[in-house]
Amino acid sequence: MANGTEEIPGPTGLPFLGNIGTVDSEVPLTSFLNLADQYGPIYRLNFAGNPVVFCSSWELINELCDEKRFAKSIKSALKEVRNAVHDGLFTAKMDEPNWGIAHRVLMPAFGPLSIAGMLDEMHDIASQLAMKWARHGSSVPIMVTEDFTRLTLDTLALCAMGYRFNSFYHDEMHPFIEAMGSFLTESGSRFRRPPITSMFYRDSTHKYFEDIDLMRKTADEVLKARKENPTDRNKDLLTAMLNGTDPKTGQKMTDSSIIDNLITFLIAGHETTSGLLSFAFYQLLKHPEAYRKAQDEVDEVVGTGPVKIEHLGQLKYIAAVLRETLRHSPTISQFSVAPIQDEIIGGRYKVPKDQPIVLLLAKSQMDTTVYGKDADQFVPERMLDENFDKLNKEFPNCWKPFGNGARACIGRPFAWQEALLVTAMLLQNFNFLMDDPSYQLHIKQTLTIKPKGFYMRCSLREGLTATTLEHRLSGSEPRMDAHNAGVPVAGAAAKNGNGRPFSIYFGSNSGTCQGLANRLAQDAPSHGFAARVVDPLDAAYRDVPSNEPVAIITASYEGQPPDNAGLFVNWITSLKAHEMEKVSYAVFGCGHHDWFETFHRIPKLIDSMLDELGGNRIAQIGLSDAAKGEIFTDFETWEDEVFWPAMSEKYGIKQSAEAEAVPALSVEFSTPRTSSLRQDVREACIVDVKTLSAPGQPLKKHLEIKLPTDMAYRAGDYLVVLPLNPKQNVIRAMRRFQIPWDAHMRIRSDGRTNLPINESLSVDDVLGAYVELGQPATKRSILSLAEATKGTQVKETLQNLAGNDYAAEISAKRVSLLELLERFPEIELPFGTFLSLLPPMRVRQYSISSSPLWNPLHVTLTFSILESPSLSGTEHRYIGVASNFLANLGVGDRLHVSVRPSHTAFHLPLDAAHTPIVCIAAGTGIAPFRGFIQERAAMIGAGRSLAPCLLFFGCRDPDADELYRDDMDRWQAMGAVDMRFAYSRRADHPDAAGCKYVQHRLYHDRNDVGRLWEKGARLYVCGSRDVGEGVHQAAIKMMAGFAKEHDGQEMSEVEVEKWFQGLRNVRYATDVFD
Ligand SMILES: Cc1cc2nc3c(=O)[nH]c(=O)nc-3n(C[C@H](O)[C@H](O)[C@H](O)COP(=O)(O)OP(=O)(O)OC[C@H]3O[C@@H](n4cnc5c(N)ncnc54)[C@H](O)[C@@H]3O)c2cc1C
Ligand SMILES: NC(=O)c1ccc[n+]([C@@H]2O[C@H](COP(=O)([O-])OP(=O)(O)OC[C@H]3O[C@@H](n4cnc5c(N)ncnc54)[C@H](OP(=O)(O)O)[C@@H]3O)[C@@H](O)[C@H]2O)c1
Ligand code: HEM
Ligand SMILES: Cc1cc2nc3c(=O)[nH]c(=O)nc-3n(C[C@H](O)[C@H](O)[C@H](O)COP(=O)(O)O)c2cc1C
């Protein structure tokens, strides 16, 4: 390698167009980041003859921030922005005199005193936002970016030029904002398009210049109004521009330059800050501990009065949150420089003078050299003043969201003061929830980035009402109301009925616990109670009702709370005294014993914490193991035998005579057809289907799916699929109830239900989409069948099935309600009751078997189809709902999906060049590893060198069910993987080295694994539960051997097990499910 002779890597492009097709037109950033993963810290693209270099490591960014060698470049999209604002501050070239004049005239106006003087006006607009949210109440989802955009635009316009857009008084955004948004997007697109294609974009061009016109007219009006009505506002930016004189040249700013800069401020100052606030609230809601610390800090520093200037400097944790937010999501995700002379960068790449180089902050600020192995985690602590200073000293230019040197952001103090004030004011007065707890971050990009489709809900904090908030914001003494006087919690207020009120909270990711919470609310009236709220646990954050009983139903995920319970759990575990003395509670927990170490961790933790904090336990905790498949039965048993009797005793309420009756749904059949889907999934489309297994073998398939727009994923993530029931099962149910094929119905219900109510729906749709038909019947549902039976013999049989025979005859054989109805035709169960007894349709998860470096818009799935003789012994075969739904899809078919991230540890290491990996899979467990290796192949194809990867794979026979052998051979030839096989039914095959199962092969090749382990390898396992267990045992044996061989240490398997468990999710990650 000779200096300057190494070619900068990059994808080849098309003649004329170059790499235009390589870059996603809606979110170019995603493509730039993926290309950085693929090609490494430097790559080049060519946009219709304009070459651009992209750099993304801290080392390169640090080099490029040397202003003696590199200057801001206005050649990229900024060149197009000049169409509207010419040589305004942001877009001026270094040698344009107007930049220097405006810069020197305006610097004093951005000084600390001037900015501090703007606090009252910032407070004015922030209060408008707070009052709007207070009046909306907790049931209305807040479109976060829109309201923050209103806030930042109005703040900037008021503070900078004394102009009120009054955005909070209009439903529609001001036309200026729409014009600015489309102008910025189009500026980015125009830059990437070849000029020759401009004739195809006449309409866009026309609109582009209309937008410019509107923006300039608005700014001109502001300027004229000020000239006609001079004010005594001596601190705003417009005054500075009108009256200021450049100390160097003695010149004043021209009207045209003032208009350029007015628009520049509006553009540069509002989207950036609005994006920062939106990302910050997203991160706080995703990181409950950070949320709690930030809120505690506000309470401590500010208390209940208005936020004042002297508080802002003391909000150290919130400042760290904002810094960490801008590290993760720099709202200006890149800026450009160009060499002043021909240069060699990175010690080896030649870059000619004036060649634009993009500093890709969204990647460089994730560099593990600076931020360590957890660089991709959100950790505000690393940004606390002392740590922040240390980082910047050791790694200069490692945090650059405000740009560099002379051309760095002039508005930084303005943005910082506004962001601190608004974050503090909101946390002081509200509690927030994600509207959709499983929301995953999507990006919307113009010249800046912001979260897309991010909604939250808020409720006023304890004791506050909209009126008292108004007092508080205005600085007059707030009048506190009684506990719970605020806006009712989170939208789900139940009908009070006549019962005694109680509250139900759930922590749930995939809907089971939420379903149980609804079931409890449904059952309450017959026990003399009425559920006042049925809400996510986070809605009870700092606000657990103390004047009525509280029931909590929750799951655990990897020992952590579900997405909608993190804030609550973090909060109660931070309490020390007797804060729950007035709270009466009962907890029910769902878990899965495969998570041995953390089985039921969260429900048990909540139950014991509430007790420790002085709470009054109404009933013993109820627990259910999902592995046994009897959650609904376990819950009903707990309800009937533990919870309701305890409630009735404590509150002296007699159960109603109809306590056992299931609240039936009233059903009316009709003809019009509508349908509605209520799950958080969006429409995707099948692009390719392949059968992977040989004919006559258990079926395994491969699907390629085009994701809904802007749904992003990482290799190793899951795709959540909302399936439809197999047609055969729907037909069976309709036949049993003798419902005609084209029948429609309207469901009415007084209680809670997961079914769509008061809509006319086809029966076929409801049975196909809304309920699980194949789940085992619960004891209570069997008793309902008994109630609906006249014949004493059948009644007795059913009662036995719900009693002593339940485990052997129903649970073990997984007999469904439908099967019982078919078995006993004499049962006269109303269809409405049948519907109300069925659990709601669940989503299923599948490991994504592709990498976004292959295609960021498509995913592939690799799955086995569950279809076998029914365990119950009926003539009908057991047909797995989701696997058969997927198996029956063809190219062009639609389905509903969403991406759910897998555990952080189940992703490729950030430092792929130095961290070896060992993957172990059997059958379709290969899915996530196919994604990993496809990603590694893309990186190697782009010229990167990577640490080694071993993949152990087990199947029955290479001729029967070997998955992706051709792909794997190709990737092995590139060095992306080193494959090791085990064939359970052809162990004598030469490739299997005599090994039947994958764990045998792992142990057989343990020396190779040992070598990688010593170099810091990470181990990943995926497959069925049995495979997981087998591999675990083999790994323990292998590790005990390493300890003996390498360290001469004799360790028992128990000791190795303990040590190994400590590495779980650090160097050892499993994805093992049945
Ligand atoms: C995070 C995660 C990732 C996953 N990734 C993948 C993947 O990449 N590929 C893949 O193939 N799968 C994967 N799975 C499994 C997948 O989600 C489904 O569980 C699987 O496809 C079966 O779903 P189903 O709807 O077809 O079956 P369901 O209708 O849900 O039926 C399954 C239930 O039926 C029971 N059952 C099984 N056989 C019978 C029988 N003969 N009679 C009566 N009852 C029976 C089972 O005990 C089980 O409780 C993953 C699971 C998880 C949790
Ligand atoms: N992310 C995830 O969690 C994820 C992803 C994909 C798949 N899965 C799950 O993984 C499982 C794999 O299903 P599949 O149908 O593809 O597998 P499969 O074809 O039934 O089995 C694959 C291989 O594993 C062997 N095997 C059976 N028992 C084993 C044991 N105790 N130890 C080691 N190997 C064993 C089988 O051998 P014999 O049949 O000859 O005994 C066969 O050779 C499913 O349960 C699926 O749901 C989970
Ligand atoms: C969180 C909020 C903000 C962020 C992340 C941010 C980021 C940046 C960045 C990265 C640059 C340099 C761009 C480049 O080199 O091409 C910049 C420049 C600039 N910013 Fe900001 N900005 C923010 C808020 C503001 C505000 C509130 C204002 C106005 C009040 C403002 C006005 C400007 C101006 C005028 C420039 C050009 C400076 C020059 O080149 O002289 N910015 N900003
Ligand atoms: C990725 C994953 C991790 C899990 N981790 C745990 C755990 O640590 N402890 C536990 O008891 N159960 C664990 N479970 C099981 C769930 O808690 C259980 O399936 C529960 O019923 C889910 O409830 P929900 O549908 O309301 O989210 C896990 C399940 C999954 C899919």
Side-chain angles (χ1 to χ4, degrees):
M1 180 223 319
N3 271 355
T5 55
E6 194 158 331
E7 205 178 312
I8 299 175
T12 41
L14 296 170
F16 296 115
L17 300 176
N19 298 112
I20 288 170
T22 318
V23 177
D24 179 52
S25 57
E26 265 189 50
V27 191
L29 177 63
T30 313
S31 307
F32 297 151
L33 294 177
N34 283 342
L35 287 163
D37 281 338
Q38 193 168 350
Y39 290 93
I42 179 164
Y43 63 89
R44 46 131 199 88
L45 295 178
N46 183 319
F47 298 118
N50 299 315
V52 181
V53 175
F54 287 76
C55 291
S56 60
S57 67
W58 159 72
E59 239 179 332
L60 283 168
I61 300 301
N62 189 30
E63 184 177 352
L64 294 167
C65 284
D66 180 353
E67 288 180 278
K68 288 192 216 82
R69 296 168 61 201
F70 305 93
K72 174 160 173 159
S73 165
I74 314 285
K75 277 200 174 162
S76 46
L78 288 189
K79 193 172 95 191
E80 301 292 336
V81 179
R82 281 175 66 95
N83 288 325
V85 295
H86 316 110
D87 53 2
L89 273 174
F90 206 105
T91 43
K93 297 173 192 156
M94 269 326 264
D95 53 2
E96 284 178 315
N98 271 344
W99 178 78
I101 297 171
H103 181 75
R104 287 183 292 270
V105 163
L106 279 161
M107 273 314 271
F110 282 102
L113 274 185
S114 311
I115 299 293
M118 294 177 189
L119 190 82
D120 287 349
E121 289 183 340
M122 287 185 176
H123 197 279
D124 173 345
I125 306 288
S127 303
Q128 290 182 25
L129 171 85
M131 288 313 299
K132 173 179 172 182
W133 288 1
R135 289 187 183 116
H136 268 329
S138 58
S139 57
V140 180
I142 298 164
M143 172 46 161
V144 180
T145 50
E146 265 193 14
D147 272 351
F148 280 142
T149 299
R150 286 188 165 91
L151 169 101
T152 51
L153 181 80
D154 280 23
T155 305
L156 197 84
L158 182 61
C159 297
M161 50 202 89
Y163 185 81
R164 284 188 185 267
F165 276 111
N166 284 331
S167 304
F168 288 108
Y169 300 100
H170 304 288
D171 283 343
E172 298 300 316
M173 301 287 256
H174 194 282
F176 185 94
I177 300 183
E178 195 277 319
M180 184 184 340
S182 53
F183 161 76
L184 291 176
T185 312
E186 182 62 8
S187 293
S189 309
R190 281 167 68 90
F191 160 68
R192 287 190 299 275
R193 285 201 294 258
I196 198 166
T197 60
S198 61
M199 64 186 137
F200 302 121
Y201 293 95
R202 280 207 187 108
D203 286 352
S204 319
T205 307
H206 183 68
K207 166 95 171 58
Y208 181 71
F209 284 101
E210 265 183 7
D211 289 337
I212 292 178
D213 220 36
L214 190 143
M215 288 192 290
R216 289 198 71 87
K217 269 196 189 126
T218 310
D220 193 34
E221 277 166 24
V222 172
L223 179 60
K224 273 203 192 108
R226 175 62 69 87
K227 281 187 166 174
E228 282 161 18
N229 308 293
T231 75
D232 55 357
R233 295 168 53 90
N234 54 10
K235 55 188 181 226
D236 77 11
L237 304 183
L238 186 50
T239 307
M241 290 196 276
L242 277 166
N243 302 341
T245 308
D246 173 16
K248 188 167 167 193
T249 60
Q251 289 184 38
K252 295 191 119 190
M253 289 175 70
T254 61
D255 278 5
S256 152
S257 175
I258 292 177
I259 288 175
D260 287 342
N261 280 299
L262 280 181
I263 301 175
T264 295
F265 287 138
L266 289 170
I267 292 179
H270 95 284
E271 280 230 322
T272 42
T273 319
S274 145
L276 164 61
L277 285 165
S278 307
F279 282 121
F281 274 81
Y282 165 80
Q283 294 290 9
L284 287 174
L285 287 175
K286 281 279 171 190
H287 298 91
E289 189 166 345
Y291 182 121
R292 183 181 57 74
K293 286 184 178 169
Q295 198 168 48
D296 284 350
E297 183 177 76
V298 180
D299 290 353
E300 201 181 308
V301 172
V302 186
T304 54
V307 185
K308 299 201 176 121
I309 199 80
E310 59 270 25
H311 296 138
L312 299 183
Q314 297 172 53
L315 297 172
K316 308 260 185 224
Y317 192 78
I318 295 186
V321 165
L322 296 176
R323 284 182 191 134
E324 181 72 342
T325 301
L326 281 176
R327 182 177 78 81
H328 270 255
S329 311
T331 49
I332 293 190
S333 57
Q334 60 193 56
F335 60 89
S336 303
V337 298
I340 298 168
Q341 306 294 336
D342 286 357
E343 279 287 354
I344 304 234
I345 63 173
R348 50 190 153 152
Y349 303 107
K350 192 167 175 178
V351 185
K353 178 174 185 264
D354 292 337
Q355 156 81 75
I357 307 174
V358 172
L359 287 74
L360 202 51
L361 301 178
K363 188 81 186 166
S364 69
Q365 295 188 154
M366 293 283 158
D367 195 328
T368 49
T369 322
V370 181
Y371 296 102
K373 286 203 164 136
D374 65 348
D376 57 346
Q377 303 296 301
F378 183 80
V379 185
E381 284 69 14
R382 68 169 126 231
M383 289 291 173
L384 285 168
D385 288 349
E386 200 183 317
N387 300 340
F388 184 62
D389 293 348
K390 235 197 271 166
L391 271 177
N392 281 297
K393 213 181 244 169
E394 197 177 341
F395 303 100
N397 298 306
C398 63
W399 188 81
K400 298 298 286 180
F402 288 104
N404 187 46
R407 299 304 299 267
C409 181
I410 197 171
R412 178 171 170 174
F414 183 101
W416 207 247
Q417 176 168 301
E418 183 183 4
L420 280 174
L421 166 73
V422 171
T423 310
M425 183 191 277
L426 293 176
L427 290 175
Q428 180 196 33
N429 297 302
F430 294 93
N431 284 327
F432 292 94
L433 287 179
M434 285 263 181
D435 182 50
D436 164 14
S438 61
Y439 169 79
Q440 299 303 328
L441 190 59
H442 303 305
I443 300 293
K444 181 171 165 39
Q445 185 170 11
T446 54
L447 276 193
T448 68
I449 54 168
K450 46 173 100 150
K452 182 168 183 184
F454 170 39
Y455 289 85
M456 20 182 224
R457 287 190 286 146
C458 68
S459 50
L460 280 163
R461 284 182 63 183
E462 55 282 16
L464 273 177
T465 63
T467 319
T468 49
L469 177 67
E470 206 163 11
H471 285 292
R472 178 182 278 191
L473 295 174
S474 66
S476 56
E477 262 315 283
R479 190 166 38 82
M480 300 296 285
D481 288 3
H483 180 78
N484 271 345
V487 180
V489 199
K495 290 186 179 172
N496 261 325
N498 294 323
R500 183 182 176 118
F502 81 121
S503 294
I504 306 174
Y505 296 102
F506 56 85
S508 180
N509 276 3
S510 54
T512 316
C513 294
Q514 183 170 3
L516 297 181
N518 279 334
R519 172 66 55 97
L520 190 65
Q522 213 174 53
D523 294 344
S526 56
H527 296 272
F529 286 84
R532 193 179 57 82
V533 294
V534 180
D535 261 344
L537 253 172
D538 280 349
Y541 170 64
R542 292 183 194 259
D543 198 15
V544 187
S546 54
N547 46 4
E548 63 191 35
V550 173
I552 293 174
I553 303 161
T554 184
S556 317
Y557 281 85
E558 298 287 352
Q560 299 303 313
D563 293 343
N564 50 13
L567 201 52
F568 177 84
V569 172
N570 189 279
W571 169 60
I572 57 161
T573 47
S574 74
L575 299 177
K576 297 271 167 332
H578 276 73
E579 287 91 339
M580 296 292 153
E581 250 168 12
K582 294 192 182 137
V583 173
S584 299
Y585 71 95
V587 178
F588 187 88
C590 296
H592 193 301
H593 71 237
D594 269 6
W595 282 270
F596 176 70
E597 300 272 309
T598 52
F599 188 31
H600 291 134
R601 178 170 175 266
I602 296 301
K604 285 182 174 166
L605 177 79
I606 294 177
D607 188 57
S608 62
M609 276 311 298
L610 291 175
D611 181 44
E612 266 173 47
L613 296 167
N616 176 358
R617 188 186 282 123
I618 303 168
Q620 281 308 311
I621 186 170
L623 294 168
S624 177
D625 182 354
K628 300 208 175 106
E630 293 175 18
I631 288 184
F632 275 82
T633 290
D634 290 344
F635 185 69
E636 287 169 1
T637 308
W638 179 75
E639 266 193 274
D640 296 344
E641 294 175 8
V642 182
F643 180 73
W644 291 122
M647 290 277 276
S648 146
E649 192 182 323
K650 182 169 168 70
Y651 296 98
I653 290 176
K654 291 237 168 351
Q655 305 211 355
S656 106
E658 291 139 60
E660 294 306 315
V662 174
L665 302 169
S666 131
V667 168
E668 237 178 53
F669 296 102
S670 64
T671 38
R673 184 186 171 91
T674 56
S675 80
S676 65
L677 258 170
R678 308 149 306 141
Q679 315 273 346
D680 171 47
V681 279
R682 287 162 51 209
E683 194 172 276
C685 178
I686 304 290
V687 186
D688 192 20
V689 180
K690 283 190 188 112
T691 298
L692 300 170
S693 47
Q697 297 296 326
L699 188 58
K700 292 184 169 49
K701 285 188 114 174
H702 167 97
L703 282 184
E704 183 178 334
I705 300 170
K706 182 173 186 307
L707 291 173
T709 40
D710 62 62
M711 201 176 263
Y713 74 101
R714 290 169 71 187
D717 284 348
Y718 312 124
L719 193 74
V720 168
V721 174
L722 179 64
L724 294 175
N725 273 313
K727 207 78 198 150
Q728 299 92 313
N729 291 354
V730 175
I731 294 174
R732 280 169 59 192
M734 296 198 48
R735 187 180 299 139
R736 172 61 178 77
F737 285 94
Q738 298 185 353
I739 299 171
W741 252 119
D742 53 353
H744 279 62
M745 64 185 181
R746 188 183 296 277
I747 302 172
R748 300 189 204 285
S749 169
D750 285 341
R752 272 166 194 285
T753 170
N754 291 84
L755 298 168
I757 51 172
N758 301 328
E759 269 180 68
S760 179
L761 293 159
S762 86
V763 179
D764 182 40
D765 267 355
V766 173
L767 288 173
Y770 290 95
V771 288
E772 292 275 352
L773 290 170
Q775 295 287 303
T778 66
K779 286 183 181 175
R780 200 194 285 172
S781 64
I782 303 173
L783 286 177
S784 297
L785 297 190
E787 294 253 314
T789 309
K790 292 203 182 88
T792 45
Q793 205 184 337
V794 173
K795 206 184 229 342
E796 202 177 307
T797 310
L798 287 167
Q799 279 160 348
N800 288 338
L801 286 175
N804 290 343
D805 295 347
Y806 183 81
E809 293 302 319
I810 302 291
S811 181
K813 295 184 181 170
R814 298 190 53 86
V815 178
S816 68
L817 203 60
L818 180 57
E819 281 181 52
L820 287 174
L821 283 162
E822 286 172 336
R823 198 184 294 174
F824 303 108
E826 50 276 74
I827 301 173
E828 290 172 17
L829 190 76
F831 184 64
T833 310
F834 173 64
L835 274 186
S836 71
L837 291 171
L838 296 173
M841 176 63 89
R842 271 187 313 115
V843 291
R844 307 316 196 252
Q845 311 189 55
Y846 290 87
S847 297
I848 292 174
S849 59
S850 58
S851 153
L853 298 196
W854 159 73
N855 188 337
L857 309 175
H858 289 197
V859 293
T860 63
L861 300 186
T862 308
F863 60 101
S864 345
I865 286 81
L866 175 55
E867 210 241 293
S868 53
S870 190
L871 289 172
S872 64
T874 70
E875 52 177 322
H876 304 289
R877 290 174 71 78
Y878 185 82
I879 305 172
V881 176
S883 55
N884 282 279
F885 165 71
L886 290 173
N888 288 322
L889 296 173
V891 171
D893 284 348
R894 311 271 151 170
L895 70 165
H896 286 90
V897 304
S898 72
V899 170
R900 184 182 280 273
S902 55
H903 192 282
T904 333
F906 210 90
H907 289 106
L908 279 170
L910 288 181
D911 186 2
H914 302 107
T915 316
I917 60 172
V918 177
C919 307
I920 306 146
T924 49
I926 199 172
F929 305 138
R930 180 178 183 268
F932 283 7
I933 291 157
Q934 192 177 45
E935 181 143 332
R936 288 171 52 90
M939 291 174 173
I940 290 172
R944 294 188 64 185
S945 50
L946 303 181
C949 161
L950 273 180
L951 169 57
F952 290 87
F953 174 61
C955 64
R956 290 180 173 181
D957 182 329
D959 297 327
D961 59 350
E962 194 163 58
L963 305 176
Y964 304 115
R965 182 66 192 252
D966 291 348
D967 287 340
M968 292 299 167
D969 283 347
R970 201 159 26 90
W971 293 332
Q972 174 151 298
M974 292 173 74
V977 64
D978 178 354
M979 293 289 298
R980 309 292 165 96
F981 297 95
Y983 298 131
S984 58
R985 311 210 179 170
R986 282 277 295 281
D988 58 345
H989 189 282
D991 283 355
C995 300
K996 179 178 177 194
Y997 281 160
V998 70
Q999 58 269 38
H1000 306 142
R1001 186 67 201 252
L1002 179 74
Y1003 193 72
H1004 179 274
D1005 292 6
R1006 61 190 176 283
N1007 288 337
D1008 294 344
V1009 178
R1011 273 189 287 278
L1012 297 188
W1013 184 256
E1014 281 200 334
K1015 290 186 186 143
R1018 290 217 204 148
L1019 249 62
Y1020 303 84
V1021 187
C1022 185
S1024 68
R1025 201 184 317 172
D1026 291 345
V1027 173
E1029 188 46 36
V1031 171
H1032 184 81
Q1033 293 311 328
I1036 296 292
K1037 201 164 136 203
M1038 182 172 70
M1039 294 294 170
F1042 293 165
K1044 196 168 165 197
E1045 264 170 51
H1046 300 294
D1047 311 334
Q1049 222 184 333
E1050 194 79 54
M1051 277 172 96
S1052 73
E1053 288 195 3
V1054 177
E1055 284 169 320
V1056 179
E1057 172 78 50
K1058 204 166 161 213
W1059 164 78
F1060 202 51
Q1061 283 298 349
L1063 294 179
R1064 205 184 156 95
N1065 288 333
V1066 182
R1067 289 187 63 188
Y1068 176 60
T1070 56
D1071 234 1
V1072 171
F1073 305 104
D1074 270 343

